[in-house]
Amino acid sequence: MACTRNRAPRQSVRHFRACMGPALAAFLIACSEAPAPPPAVAGSAALEAHSAEFRRDIIEVVPGIHVAIGYALANVILIEGDDGVIIVDTTESLEAARTVKAEFDRITDKPVQAIIYTHNHTDHIFGAEAFAAGRDVPVYAHKTTWSHIERIMNVLRPVIETRSFHMFGNYLEAGGEAIINDGIGPALAHSTTGDGDIYGLLPPTHTVDERLEVTIAGRRLVLMHAPGETDDQLLVWLPDERVLLPGDNVYKAFPNLYTIRGTRYRDVMQWAHSVRLMRSLGAEHLIPSHTRPVSGAKAVDDILQVYGDAIQFVHDQTVRGINQGLDADTLARTVQLPAELAEHPWLQPFYGTVPWSVRAIYNGYLGWFEGNSSTLFPIASATRAQRLLALAGGADAVLAEAEAQLPADPQWAAELADLVRAASPDSVPVAAELKARALRMLAEVTPNPNARNWYLTDALELEQRITTGPSPISAERVAFAQGFPIAGVLRSMAVNLDPERSAGVNERVVLVFPDQGVQYAVHVRHQVAVIDALPSVPEDESVVVTVPATEWLALMTGQRGFPLALADGTVQVSGGMADTAKLLRFLALFRQE
Ligand SMILES: [Zn+2]
């Protein structure tokens, strides 16, 4: 069994050393002739050691500038000024933010004069209210931040939430497993049931385009657009103190150039440019929104240099391979960081990984089609699985082979179990149990918490110890979403249209929302719901519904019943009973069941 360099990613330098020593089963898995599992630097032991990064602490990096670490997935940064303080990032929940606020109150009782969101991700925005404490506090963010928040909240919430909970390990506890850490923080402080004091988001009041210089409480700040992990990322530069707050564009882990919870393509070269822009500032202190701060101009410069270079390396070598006609799978196996980058403590695969990044870059440039024409209109995956299973001697034979391969190659065992599960429903319990064992072995050897959490979540679900899926829509969540413009809620209606029920339907309803001063036509035709803002209420509409925007969401999510809302006048429908019946039939087109 050769431990060849191109079998495993070069991120795994320590892994090769391990391979040369006494046989360690976990490491040998990655050195076998079979395709390597995700990078196994030193398995979950390395991840355990990484937990030290998140021990709870409030660190004063320079006089008056503190960072709270380990209270939530993301850090909170406190900048104390003459007559007030500035808060940068607010954690993912009100509850966590309140704990941080209580700690900050022990440092100073000066009022919060501004909140800055470095970007739109949940773990930076949901705790804002805890810091504003009921006061009217200016909130700074990039000009596109709010539109990103709305898109996630309204259109993609069910899937992004479920996948985030897989990735951050939020389901594990219910199945009797524990998170080691989440790579960039201890854990995502959200419950899978939607309970808890979460929603303290405050909408931005001051937006930044490319650059904004502002003095708050006597502190000079430069907010600069630095697209990278997200398109709306802002960096915060304090030129007088030479302190750089890079948001999520830099943390002590290989950057998440692709996140497995699902994301639009992240323009990785923009990310590298933003890191180099930061480097050009000549910072003496780096306070990331995840992981611990770093002081010393040389240390900061070194981190920013290798970070930008690692991103560019992965980008350039992927594109080079693409131009040579190589497919994503081949590139994911062969693009490997140079040793000096692979060994760098800030580039370990504790969050992003090189192979995932390579696949995302491939997809970002070319999309899903890799040039093999037999993949243009492939046969159904279940049919393929059945035919392969027949060739391989049937489900029992394949499961026996999976069992035999399991100790040495759990990845292959999991893939064989998948084949059986896809082809043969009768074998599912045995295959599920076998796959769960394989996933647990993979979880043990990966240093990557996203992979580990997902493996274990899948294992628990295969063992029927947990179920995953979008959490129920609580009254608290509805109350939170009621603060958003109604347009976003209507967009979520469109992607919930049932194509079967709406077949042959050609109906239009006008919705008037007096509290937001807007009206929309929702026209269902050709099995799509076309939503148009109207300048005024048309005269000739057959069905006109007048309802407060704040009530509409409660009605659409079932928090409030239509009959009662109609009876008490919350919902008013033109044209009497006939139109009311028409409205209810119309709304049934969007029902989820
Ligand atoms: Zn974050």
Side-chain angles (χ1 to χ4, degrees):
M1 188 183 298
C3 189
T4 58
R5 208 174 121 183
N6 62 359
R7 287 278 171 212
R10 276 192 54 190
Q11 261 185 327
S12 318
V13 169
R14 276 176 268 161
H15 147 84
F16 292 111
R17 290 191 193 128
C19 287
M20 288 185 269
L24 294 170
F27 293 123
L28 288 176
I29 290 160
C31 296
S32 72
E33 292 303 307
V41 174
S44 51
L47 187 59
E48 299 266 10
H50 188 59
S51 292
E53 198 64 38
F54 312 115
R55 61 189 184 275
R56 265 194 188 192
D57 226 338
I58 297 198
I59 299 172
E60 187 168 22
V61 181
V62 297
I65 302 184
H66 307 255
V67 56
I69 301 168
Y71 291 82
L73 190 70
N75 299 340
V76 184
I77 298 150
L78 171 78
I79 303 170
E80 198 181 340
D82 302 334
D83 56 349
V85 303
I86 304 150
I87 298 291
V88 181
D89 287 339
T90 67
T91 82
E92 62 271 22
S93 88
L94 256 181
E95 204 174 321
R98 284 194 191 113
T99 311
V100 174
K101 175 76 164 63
E103 293 294 332
F104 284 171
D105 285 348
R106 289 146 59 113
I107 296 171
T108 173
D109 59 2
K110 291 175 188 169
V112 174
Q113 292 204 352
I115 292 171
I116 299 170
Y117 296 148
T118 57
H119 62 293
N120 69 81
H121 282 166
T122 309
D123 53 321
H124 301 259
I125 59 175
F126 271 13
E129 258 178 37
F131 297 100
R135 291 171 55 250
D136 214 2
V137 174
V139 178
Y140 290 79
H142 187 252
K143 64 176 182 179
T144 61
T145 294
W146 191 248
S147 65
H148 289 289
I149 294 170
E150 268 202 274
R151 181 172 52 88
I152 299 289
M153 288 305 299
N154 289 311
V155 179
L156 286 172
R157 186 202 60 85
V159 68
I160 291 294
E161 181 186 270
T162 307
R163 290 176 60 134
S164 294
F165 287 167
H166 275 75
M167 175 176 135
F168 290 118
N170 293 60
Y171 294 113
L172 296 186
E173 196 181 344
E177 295 284 351
I179 297 166
I180 296 177
N181 62 63
D182 278 342
I184 54 163
L188 179 74
H190 282 186
S191 86
T192 56
T193 54
D195 300 332
D197 230 351
I198 295 171
Y199 305 105
L201 170 65
L202 294 172
T205 58
H206 293 55
T207 57
V208 180
D209 188 351
E210 284 306 305
R211 180 188 167 95
L212 176 74
E213 285 199 46
V214 61
T215 299
I216 305 169
R219 292 276 192 183
R220 213 150 61 89
L221 306 172
V222 186
L223 310 185
M224 295 164 81
H225 186 209
E229 195 215 44
T230 58
D231 288 342
D232 67 331
Q233 201 89 198
L234 288 181
L235 68 84
V236 182
W237 169 233
L238 289 97
D240 299 329
E241 298 81 1
R242 308 209 73 72
V243 169
L244 171 65
L245 279 47
D248 276 11
N249 280 339
V250 182
Y251 35 67
K252 195 177 176 183
F254 187 80
N256 217 16
L257 302 182
Y258 171 75
T259 180
I260 59 172
R261 70 175 177 268
T263 179
R264 286 179 174 180
Y265 178 56
R266 295 174 169 176
D267 187 330
V268 304
M269 276 316 290
Q270 249 184 6
W271 193 334
H273 292 321
S274 290
V275 172
R276 285 170 182 157
L277 165 71
M278 293 181 202
R279 192 177 174 220
S280 73
L281 297 172
E284 286 173 16
H285 306 274
L286 180 74
I287 312 180
S289 289
H290 295 277
T291 68
R292 305 180 92 76
V294 175
S295 287
K298 194 173 175 314
V300 172
D301 186 69
D302 171 62
I303 289 165
L304 296 177
Q305 188 198 54
V306 297
Y307 227 73
D309 289 357
I311 296 170
Q312 186 183 341
F313 177 88
V314 174
H315 170 271
D316 289 356
Q317 291 309 311
T318 302
V319 174
R320 180 170 173 267
I322 288 172
N323 282 326
Q324 289 171 345
L326 299 174
D327 61 27
D329 196 53
T330 303
L331 288 167
R333 280 164 207 294
T334 53
V335 173
Q336 296 164 10
L337 289 177
E340 67 272 22
L341 294 179
E343 288 176 335
H344 196 283
W346 280 64
L347 294 171
Q348 297 308 300
F350 291 129
Y351 202 46
T353 77
V354 173
W356 297 343
S357 305
V358 169
R359 289 181 193 279
I361 294 164
Y362 187 102
N363 214 276
Y365 277 103
L366 295 183
W368 62 267
F369 181 53
E370 298 187 13
N372 174 2
S373 55
S374 66
T375 65
L376 284 171
F377 299 101
I379 59 169
S381 50
T383 307
R384 181 186 309 108
Q386 282 157 9
R387 292 178 185 175
L388 286 173
L389 215 57
L391 279 174
D396 289 348
V398 171
L399 284 174
E401 176 65 7
E403 188 72 53
Q405 294 290 335
L406 184 66
D409 194 348
Q411 175 65 34
W412 180 229
E415 291 185 22
L416 289 176
D418 277 342
L419 187 70
V420 174
R421 282 161 55 77
S424 168
D426 294 345
S427 302
V428 163
V430 183
E433 184 273 331
L434 195 146
K435 183 178 174 185
R437 278 190 283 143
L439 296 181
R440 287 180 179 285
M441 291 174 70
L442 293 170
E444 193 55 39
V445 297
T446 182
N448 184 280
N450 299 331
R452 176 185 185 272
N453 291 338
W454 210 301
Y455 287 140
L456 291 178
T457 304
D458 275 354
L460 290 171
E461 198 158 33
L462 288 163
E463 292 158 356
Q464 300 187 343
R465 290 160 67 186
I466 58 166
T467 51
T468 68
S471 56
I473 297 181
S474 63
E476 191 197 9
R477 189 197 292 272
V478 169
F480 164 67
Q482 281 167 335
F484 289 83
I486 196 70
V489 177
L490 297 180
R491 272 200 300 282
S492 80
M493 278 180 76
V495 296
N496 280 319
L497 182 72
D498 185 305
E500 281 166 26
R501 280 189 229 131
S502 58
V505 172
N506 187 353
E507 297 274 354
R508 181 175 136 124
V509 165
V510 170
L511 301 171
V512 181
F513 302 103
D515 55 333
Q516 291 190 5
V518 291
Q519 45 274 320
Y520 290 89
V522 182
H523 192 166
V524 172
R525 61 181 188 239
H526 303 133
Q527 292 158 290
V528 294
V530 180
I531 295 162
D532 288 314
L534 301 175
S536 59
V537 182
E539 298 278 319
D540 58 347
E541 290 298 331
S542 62
V543 181
V544 177
V545 182
T546 305
V547 55
T550 50
E551 294 295 327
W552 184 247
L553 184 64
L555 289 161
M556 292 307 289
T557 53
Q559 289 285 318
R560 191 146 188 215
F562 263 97
L564 197 62
L566 286 162
D568 70 11
T570 305
V571 178
Q572 292 166 20
V573 184
S574 65
M577 291 298 285
D579 277 6
T580 301
K582 221 167 166 180
L583 171 68
L584 295 176
R585 278 200 306 277
F586 185 80
L587 293 177
L589 303 174
F590 301 90
R591 206 166 53 221
Q592 298 300 296
E593 54 200 26

